[in-house]
Amino acid sequence: MPFNSARFEQAKFESRKARVAVEALAPFFDPDEPAEWEVRGLTAAELHQAMDASNRQGSIETIIKALATKADQAKAIRQALGLSGDTPGEIAKRIEMLVSGSVQPQIDMPTAVKLAENFPIEFLQLTNKISELTGQGAELVKPSAASQPTPA
């Protein structure tokens, strides 16, 4: 059966999503809300950006060293950017993945770094789920069913 490229081009897609239980983070959720983090699969561009994070981290470190005249200034710049000088490449990649793949809550780089440093297991669970969803590809958006007429 040949691939129908016209049908493929007309199709609408959306990122796969999943909720991940993060009980260790329960104190940071509203009391009446479940401790769940919603994540989604990444696009090709987001995945590549995450995979390139360790290269960018080296470039950023070079810039920080050039800008800072004192060690304290370099440390302040790293903290403002949510970076440390010795983050392994795999962790830098996963931090980028978490920032891009978090649906609810949406987070920034400093929050992702703090989560990785203080809740490493939850951090890995979340980024593993993002990897899984990314590997499954996007979901085909199904047209909404026509509403049924209501009986009179």
Side-chain angles (χ1 to χ4, degrees):
M1 175 188 311
F3 180 74
N4 188 331
S5 60
R7 188 179 322 158
F8 182 79
E9 287 297 321
Q10 291 177 353
K12 303 265 190 257
F13 296 96
E14 65 184 6
S15 296
R16 290 182 189 271
K17 295 178 185 171
R19 292 183 166 274
V20 179
V22 286
E23 291 304 320
L25 299 173
F28 308 103
F29 285 83
D30 289 338
D32 56 338
E33 294 291 324
E36 293 181 334
W37 198 290
E38 187 176 8
V39 295
R40 65 172 178 81
L42 304 179
T43 64
E46 291 168 333
L47 180 60
H48 182 72
Q49 182 177 356
M51 292 173 73
D52 197 41
S54 64
N55 292 337
R56 279 194 322 278
Q57 179 180 336
S59 299
I60 291 171
E61 187 62 27
T62 302
I63 293 168
I64 289 171
K65 287 178 182 174
L67 290 174
T69 57
K70 298 178 184 166
D72 289 345
Q73 286 178 327
K75 184 178 179 182
I77 292 169
R78 281 189 204 97
Q79 285 179 335
L81 295 173
L83 304 171
S84 69
D86 58 351
T87 303
E90 178 66 16
I91 300 302
K93 176 184 90 170
R94 287 176 177 265
I95 287 169
E96 291 265 355
M97 289 173 66
L98 187 59
V99 171
S100 295
S102 289
V103 175
Q104 188 60 27
Q106 291 182 343
I107 61 167
D108 57 13
M109 191 71 69
T111 303
V113 169
K114 190 167 187 171
L115 180 70
E117 290 174 349
N118 294 287
F119 293 92
I121 299 302
E122 289 72 16
F123 172 73
L124 290 174
Q125 287 173 330
L126 292 167
T127 56
N128 284 343
K129 181 53 85 172
I130 292 168
S131 291
E132 179 185 329
L133 295 169
T134 301
Q136 292 173 352
E139 287 186 298
L140 185 62
V141 175
K142 297 176 181 133
S144 55
S147 60
Q148 299 295 322
T150 52

